Amino acid sequence: MKKFALWAVAGLFLASCSQQTEKGDFVINAHIDNAPLGKIYLEELTLEEAKIVDTAVIKDASGKFTLKGMLPEQALYRIRFAENNRFILLGLDAGTMSIDGDYNHLEQVKIENSEASSEIQQLLNEVSTKNIALTTEMKTLDSLYQAKTPDSVMKPRVTAFQARQKELEQFIMKAATDTKSPAVAAFALSMVSTPTLLQDQKVINEIKTRFPENTLITSFTDKLNEISKKDASPGTDAMAGEEENMTAVKIGQVAPDFTLPDLSGKATSLSSFKGKYVLVDFWASWCKPCRMENPNVVQAYNTYKNKNFTILGVSLDRTKEAWAKAIQADGLTWTHVSDLKFWESAVVPLYGLNSIPSNMLLDPEGKVIAIGLRGPELQGKLQEVLK
């Protein structure tokens, strides 16, 4: 079940390259009111991981900190607050930039000496407005489906909804082609579904031609080419798994911790499962593909549950009744949690979820070792790591 979502969180920003030097030393002077005290990380983002580049500490209520480093080229970075993993995304250039704003409204922070930040803020505001309308319509469609509305009513609305989804993706693709910044282009592309990107190879090639030496653009387009070749190979189903990999959390990262209530209302944290291999399974009772995949997940659980493996089901349901009924009907005997907030669930921006079913396999230290395991791939990966 596809749900178009922003990459990771509402407050995301990029720095510019149109009138700034891409290579050299950089300094970030930040003032964030109401920011939690503690450590701040500056991390470079690639398709595979987030690498720590510098750290700082907010020591008092002033909310001031400085981050520094040397930049080989314009790229995507993020300033991450250690307390709850909220962050500000940056398209970093050499030079000095300043960030000023409120921790409670990171989407409105003011970034100076960073033209592309204004560009990305405008893009995100427009995408957010369109996405809110789509989410509202999705909820309406779900309600109509639950009410067993006749196909004669459903089909026109579903067709119109799909057309609006397509329009939004084309709007974002145009932003990627119009920008002068490779970081902005890469960010925009990351918000578009893999099938759409694969259908617009001409656009992707044009972007690669415009930024031929930028590592992020090159790795992004090379990855798409790899997916395209795999998808064209007989007997493969690469695209589904690779699309799941286009999320905020990447293989090699430690999965962000979260705490949600289980069926009894008890607060349960992902970190409480450390020491075991854990499949974090995002699903919902109303999601038909999720329910179709559940028998495979049940088989995997029953096969490996005695080999230091478990599953944490994270539901995007809206009612406890529907959630509990689906768990019982599908025989899902592992731990389940949900805040019953549908696509407004706290885990959606934390993990950058844009569709369900989606899953991540974590090692005993909580590090992501696989993403988007479906069908035989789930059994195969578990057999590999749980010898």
Side-chain angles (χ1 to χ4, degrees), residues 15-80:
S16 74
C17 74
S18 56
Q19 294 183 4
Q20 292 181 313
T21 303
E22 292 190 11
K23 301 178 181 180
D25 295 331
F26 67 85
V27 178
I28 303 170
N29 294 314
H31 171 207
I32 307 296
D33 289 329
N34 298 311
L37 303 184
K39 211 161 189 177
I40 307 295
Y41 298 92
L42 177 65
E43 299 172 324
E44 181 184 3
L45 301 179
T46 68
L47 293 184
E48 291 78 26
E49 61 180 343
K51 298 184 291 187
I52 297 175
V53 174
D54 193 19
T55 61
V57 178
I58 297 180
K59 298 180 179 179
D60 53 46
S62 69
K64 293 183 178 181
F65 59 91
T66 297
L67 296 161
K68 301 178 180 179
M70 203 288 289
L71 195 70
E73 63 178 351
Q74 188 188 81
L76 282 168
Y77 288 71
R78 69 180 178 188
I79 297 173
R80 179 170 62 87

Side-chain angles (χ1 to χ4, degrees), residues 260-268 320 323-324 327 334-338 340:
L260 294 175
D262 65 11
L263 276 169
S264 68
K266 178 184 176 182
T268 303
K320 183 177 180 180
W323 176 35
I327 291 172
W334 47 86
T335 302
H336 294 269
V337 296
S338 179
L340 299 176

Side-chain angles (χ1 to χ4, degrees), residues 165-178:
Q165 282 185 310
K166 185 68 175 178
E167 288 173 3
L168 178 54
E169 290 197 309
Q170 292 304 319
F171 171 78
I172 298 172
M173 287 288 284
K174 188 176 186 301
T177 59
D178 289 349

Side-chain angles (χ1 to χ4, degrees), residues 12-20 74 90-93 111 113-123 179-185 187:
L12 305 177
F13 306 91
L14 295 176
S16 74
C17 74
S18 56
Q19 294 183 4
Q20 292 181 313
Q74 188 188 81
L90 305 170
L92 206 54
D93 283 300
I111 303 178
N113 196 29
S114 179
E115 294 176 11
S117 293
S118 298
E119 180 184 349
I120 213 68
Q121 280 181 300
Q122 181 179 354
L123 172 63
T179 185
K180 297 178 182 179
S181 163
V184 175
F187 176 77

Side-chain angles (χ1 to χ4, degrees), residues 99-150:
I99 304 175
D100 189 84
D102 192 307
Y103 182 76
N104 297 317
H105 302 284
L106 291 180
E107 72 280 2
Q108 299 176 11
V109 299
K110 181 180 179 181
I111 303 178
E112 295 184 350
N113 196 29
S114 179
E115 294 176 11
S117 293
S118 298
E119 180 184 349
I120 213 68
Q121 280 181 300
Q122 181 179 354
L123 172 63
L124 282 173
N125 286 335
E126 293 175 351
V127 169
S128 179
T129 299
K130 296 175 185 293
N131 194 49
I132 288 172
L134 282 174
T135 301
T136 300
E137 179 62 15
M138 177 184 284
K139 291 179 180 179
T140 301
L141 289 174
D142 182 49
S143 297
L144 291 173
Y145 174 79
Q146 296 292 341
K148 299 182 179 179
T149 303

